[in-house]
Amino acid sequence: QVQLAESGGGLVQAGGSLRLSCAASGGTFSSYTMGWFRQAPGKERELVAASSWGSGFTYYADSEKGRFTISRDNAKKTVYLQMNSLKPEDTAVYYCAATTIGGIQRNPTVYDYWGQGTQVTVSS
C-alpha cells in the first residue's frame, strides 16, 4: 500500500510563488512515476507535471512550462512542485498521484494512488 499526503497549498497573490510537497509512505518510491494534477470547480482533472523514475523524463502542460518545476527526492520519498509567477487561473485543488506504469502518463485513470489534495488560491 502507498499513501500520499500533499502540503504547501494556501493563498498567494498573483505573481507569487508556492512550493507543494507530496510525501509518500509504503511501496518503493523510486520506482513510481509521479504526477501533479489539479482540478478547479467545473473543470476536469488535468495533469500539470509528471516525473518518471527510470530515465528522469519530465512533462509539463503548455500553460505551466517555464513557470512550474517538478522535482523529487527519493531519499525523502517526496515529490515537489515549485510554482512561480502564479496566475488566478492556477487556482485549484492540487493532487499528487503515483503509478507503476513506466514513462510519462497523462491520463489520470492510470494512476493507482492519490493524495487528498491541497487547495491553492491565487488572488488577483
Side-chain angles (χ1 to χ4, degrees), residues 29-108:
F29 178 79
S30 61
S31 69
Y32 293 101
T33 288
M34 302 296 298
W36 282 100
F37 292 80
R38 68 185 182 189
Q39 188 167 25
K43 301 279 190 175
E44 295 184 359
R45 187 168 297 186
E46 63 176 352
L47 179 66
V48 176
S51 175
S52 66
W53 66 269
S55 301
F57 296 127
T58 58
Y59 166 87
Y60 299 95
D62 288 342
S63 61
E64 285 75 48
K65 287 182 179 178
R67 299 192 300 123
F68 291 8
T69 303
I70 188 171
S71 61
R72 62 196 296 165
D73 186 334
N74 289 334
K76 296 182 178 180
K77 295 185 176 182
T78 302
V79 63
Y80 305 95
L81 184 68
Q82 178 67 46
M83 305 186 294
N84 299 324
S85 302
L86 284 163
K87 305 173 181 179
E89 52 262 42
D90 295 318
T91 296
V93 176
Y94 283 71
Y95 301 88
C96 69
T99 178
T100 57
I101 299 175
I104 300 298
Q105 302 298 326
R106 303 173 66 179
N107 190 338

Side-chain angles (χ1 to χ4, degrees), residues 16-30:
S17 299
L18 285 174
R19 189 180 76 161
L20 306 183
S21 299
C22 176
S25 60
T28 305
F29 178 79
S30 61

